[in-house]
Amino acid sequence: MKSKAKQSQGMLLFKLSLQQQSFAIGTLKVREIVPYSPTTQIPYSHHHVIGTVNIRGLTVPVIDMAAAIGFRPISKEEYNNCYLIVTDCLRTIVAFMVRTIEKIIDCDWHAIEPSPETAGPDVFVTGITRHDDKIVQMLDVELLLSKIYPQDASARIPILTDVERERLKPLNILLVDDSIIARKQLSDALDSINISYSVCKNGIDALDLMKNYAEEGRPVDLLVSDIEMPGLDGYELAFEVQNNPKISNAYRILHTSLSSEMSADRAHQVGAHEALSKFDATELVQAMLRGAEQIEKSAVKS
């Protein structure tokens, strides 16, 4: 059976320095690309935010992406030659200023290699691929945004009752995300309410783990997966789980930094039960409780 999960997603290539190194982000995060226009200063803003611009009636903060990931900041004399990549990620619309836009390419997302373990927790690269025999580094936009706009603690700690906590405790929960910051947010949220879980960094490992758990007689009950991942993305993972009778009973939640309106329809098409926008811990736990309720009802019927 052919996966309905296939979705045309390109990769936007750009440069942050005068060197030849290319960086990229997936086009699903990109709203538009516009030439630089003069910005309005924001008092007390983060030092990598150079100001705001008005784009189609929206006031959008502009971030010097080179400076944000540790490169030499773009000088004011260079601004007029730069471009703004307007993104919609983590419920936030921002414009990343880059030195050069290269092109949008088709990408075999299965060929993207995860960032090496030795890179450390604060490297903004989530994957590596090649184009025209040159290395292209995929940037972790979620990690970058989390450094500039730290999340309010109230969104990180789920609110639930003792009864609700006990409903989740017996369940085998699997969290899947290629972003370091997203995995930490998910782990911290469940740690804060003393709920156990397993974690995978990509869809391929997650699918293998789910099959192994099923063979051991303890199948995954709740699957929480990112959408954009190298190797096997969240849409494909949900589709594979739905169509494998040994693991299809898992309640499938796609948890994404992309626009929830865009993701929800596709999520249901490929067999996910829900699609949530990152990151609100209480929203996520409420979705998990809906999964627990469905699992309980299925158990009663069987």
Side-chain angles (χ1 to χ4, degrees), residues 191-210:
D191 287 344
S192 73
I193 55 175
N194 196 27
I195 298 296
S196 61
Y197 55 86
S198 301
V199 183
C200 286
K201 296 179 181 179
N202 60 68
I204 294 172
D205 289 350
L207 188 59
D208 288 343
L209 185 63
M210 291 184 75

Side-chain angles (χ1 to χ4, degrees), residues 24-76:
I25 59 176
T27 52
L28 288 182
K29 287 188 173 79
V30 179
R31 287 171 66 108
E32 59 184 313
I33 302 165
V34 297
Y36 171 82
S37 58
T39 60
T40 301
Q41 294 296 310
I42 314 172
Y44 311 113
S45 62
H46 190 280
H47 55 284
H48 295 322
V49 177
I50 66 169
T52 63
V53 291
N54 188 284
I55 299 177
R56 306 189 192 284
L58 289 176
T59 300
V60 180
V62 177
I63 297 169
D64 180 345
M65 184 183 264
I69 70 166
F71 283 26
R72 177 177 70 82
I74 300 174
S75 66
K76 290 184 179 179

